[in-house]
Amino acid sequence: MKFIEFLRVAFASIIENSLRSFLTMLGIIIGVGSVILLVSMTTGFREYLVGQFMGLGTNLIIVNPGKTETKGLGSPGFEGVQKMTKSDTIAIKRNATSVAAASSLIVGTADVRYLDRERRVMIVGTDEAFIKVINIGVDSGSFISADDVDASRRVCMIGHIVKNELFRSKNPLGDIIKIGGSGFRVIGIMERKGAFMGTDNFDDVVYIPVSAAERIFNTDRLLGMRIKARSAGMIEEAKRQITSILKKRHNNKEDFTILTQESLLSSLNAILKTLSAVLAGIAAISLLVGGIGIMNIMLVSVRERTREIGIRKAVGATKKDILLQFLIESMMLSLMGGTIGILIAFTGGFILSRFIPQMAPVMELWNIALATLFSACVGVFFGVYPAYRAANQEIIEALRHE
Amino acid sequence: MESEKLILLEGVTKVYGSGPTRVDALNNINLKVSQGEFISIIGPSGSGKSTIMNIIGCIDRPTAGRYLLEQIDVSNFKDEELALIRNKKIGFVFQMFNLLPRQTALQNVQLPLLYSGINLKERKERGLYMLSKVGLEGRWHHRPNELSGGECQRVAVARALVNKPSIVLADEPTGNLDSKNSIEIINLFKRLNEEEGVTLIMITHNPEIANEAKRRVYIRDGKIEEDTSL
Ligand SMILES: Nc1ncnc2c1ncn2[C@@H]1O[C@H](COP(=O)(O)OP(=O)(O)O)[C@@H](O)[C@H]1O
Ligand SMILES: [Mg+2]
């Protein structure tokens, strides 16, 4: 009963001094608005990265030569490292029972030419297992076969961008393109994969047998292997098997790094967690500042309304009634600030998602609920002292106050 | 008879400050008020009239002595208990009206009922009824700054009466009013006292107004010097 009336009085008082109230809320608005926007952007970015990683393929294991000391994404060092070759891949294929497919990878760039059209593209030398490991399909024709690799045939699969740039609307199947001077027959076109991490990597690629790549780039050193475990549950076992097979072949040295999507994501999460903590810290500071602003204005409000407090107490308001009335007012101030902050974050997020889709903010309910709760708590916390002052006002003095 | 002892002040003393700034505002006051009385308290400025009223109204406590309201000693009541007494048993009318400036006449009148936890519908009914008692039913939606001094004081009287208190205390209720409005307020008090049986204590320093009451108490230097039935 009283509560509704207190809400009404608090609201009326906020509206009456609307400019002052708004300026008071500004700290909370900025605090809540920025933290929600930043946290939801982090969340959106994380979801984007997870989607990209998971889109690579399921149960994927990445084996690269060189040992990184940390589990991070850093590039491996090559000191004292024995090169990794396609015979390592074959050994894994033969002996690792938890592995469903393993493919070699040699990557370089070369000029690719068809008639008078030329384009510098990424050349991926690999084998028939590649499309089993990596989540990518064939649009027309068929992918490089084991025979192609064994016979080191000069055949190639081309990505969509390569096809469009070199062949336009012409059907390229069976045509010969020049890769670094050697002729390769086009045996198929890869399915459109779209951007990965904001690049066109997957569609601006020519795939050739790994054996042919060895010759073009004049090396048998692999960039790495892409391996698929038989199931999610077998990833760990597969890693153990790969480790022991490779160590045996590399003088018992662990001169390679095994990454999984999980390990990549966990490093990513660790980074994002730190980022979130920093953001939370900034938010806490701005909410603190906002809270002090609320306390300041509530003290002014209590002073201005000394007589009103005296009147209310004279007709029977208890200390608790007065305390509650002013607490509600400060809480309402900061809640209104919080709500405006949330609305601004929403609007900002919406506009942002138009420009940077990868960072499209993902607003999570718990996040919004937490921000709302937090701003209410700020209101209560910083409202307690002014409300306490109000409640303990002496009636006679309050009534004498001008 | 029970009505004999609505208010009983026994040896009430009030001291403000200490040492060189010490003021003995009230000095051994004994006063008995019965149901249905209309008392005026008169005396020079600074004689302790407001102090006595503040103690009776439970917005101040005596330094020494006993105060019995309806036979209950409230001298040592806690703040919360005093708030309840102010709400249920006391009605105040002040010289400065003391209305909430941003609230309508009706909202001002309803205020004590709010702290009694009475619902909005009943608050409104009783508020309107009280406004009609003071002849302001048509002005219920006006704010104090849209009302004359006399009207404001009538709103204050309605507020003092709305919770059916045992006693109405008025501290110089005509102090800020012209003579015409003063007479109106005094006539309202007399009518409420005679027709509704409201018990009234009214402070004034105007002897003419003081003589409108049924009993007159004269205070000087914190002591009751004279207590006359009129
Ligand atoms: N809060 C206070 N502190 C100190 N002295 C006070 C206070 N309130 C009243 N007094 C003193 O007590 C005496 C009685 O005051 P009051 O009851 O207001 O007189 P009246 O209402 O008759 O003019 C005066 O001398 C006044 O100065
Ligand atoms: Mg006085």
Side-chain angles (χ1 to χ4, degrees), chain A residues 4 102 142 192 257 349:
Chain A
I4 295 167
S142 56
R192 193 187 297 275
T257 303

Side-chain angles (χ1 to χ4, degrees), chain B residues 6-7 33-41 53 56-57 69 86 88-94 130 153 156-171 173 185 188-189 192-193 196-203:
Chain B
L6 178 60
I7 286 171
V33 180
S34 309
Q35 190 99 49
E37 282 201 274
F38 180 8
I39 303 173
S40 61
I41 296 180
M53 209 192 84
I56 294 173
L69 177 63
R86 287 195 296 273
K88 303 268 190 213
K89 307 215 178 285
I90 313 280
F92 281 108
V93 178
F94 300 97
M130 276 329 299
Q153 200 58 301
V157 172
R159 180 181 66 189
L161 288 167
V162 76
N163 219 1
K164 305 187 186 97
S166 312
I167 184 154
V168 171
L169 305 172
D171 193 348
I185 289 293
L188 177 61
F189 279 167
L192 289 168
N193 176 252
E196 318 268 334
V198 175
T199 312
L200 274 159
I201 298 179
M202 175 180 70
I203 290 172

Side-chain angles (χ1 to χ4, degrees), chain A residues 16 307 312-313 315 319, chain B residues 79 86-87 98 102 115:
Chain A
E16 192 181 356
R307 207 180 172 86
R312 289 181 183 275
K313 287 180 93 171
V315 302
K319 282 184 183 184
Chain B
D79 284 347
R86 287 195 296 273
N87 184 243
N98 277 336
R102 291 183 287 263
Y115 295 110

Side-chain angles (χ1 to χ4, degrees), chain A residues 1-2 5-6 8-9 16 305 307-308 311-322 325 392 394-396 399-400 402, chain B residues 16 54 59-60 79-80 83-84 86-87 92 94 96 98-100 102-103 107 111-112 114-120 123 159:
Chain A
M1 214 71 264
K2 288 181 203 170
E5 179 68 11
F6 292 164
R8 194 187 66 77
V9 169
E16 192 181 356
R305 286 150 72 191
R307 207 180 172 86
E308 173 188 328
I311 294 168
R312 289 181 183 275
K313 287 180 93 171
V315 302
T318 60
K319 282 184 183 184
K320 224 164 72 189
D321 289 329
I322 302 294
Q325 181 188 328
N392 285 288
E394 283 293 331
I395 301 175
I396 302 169
L399 287 176
R400 248 190 245 130
E402 275 318 302
Chain B
Y16 288 112
N54 292 342
I59 57 179
D60 204 352
D79 284 347
E80 304 295 288
L84 189 69
R86 287 195 296 273
N87 184 243
F92 281 108
F94 300 97
M96 308 290 288
N98 277 336
L99 299 177
L100 298 180
R102 291 183 287 263
Q103 310 243 344
Q107 285 169 331
L111 197 62
L114 173 70
Y115 295 110
S116 302
I118 287 165
N119 70 46
L120 186 67
R123 290 210 304 265
R159 180 181 66 189

Side-chain angles (χ1 to χ4, degrees), chain A residues 7-22:
Chain A
L7 284 178
R8 194 187 66 77
V9 169
F11 189 71
S13 152
I14 288 169
I15 292 302
E16 192 181 356
N17 300 300
S18 48
L19 179 65
R20 186 173 91 183
S21 304
F22 177 74

Side-chain angles (χ1 to χ4, degrees), chain B residues 171-184:
Chain B
D171 193 348
E172 310 224 18
T174 61
N176 270 18
L177 299 179
D178 58 25
S179 57
K180 179 179 157 284
N181 276 309
S182 298
I183 291 163
E184 250 181 62

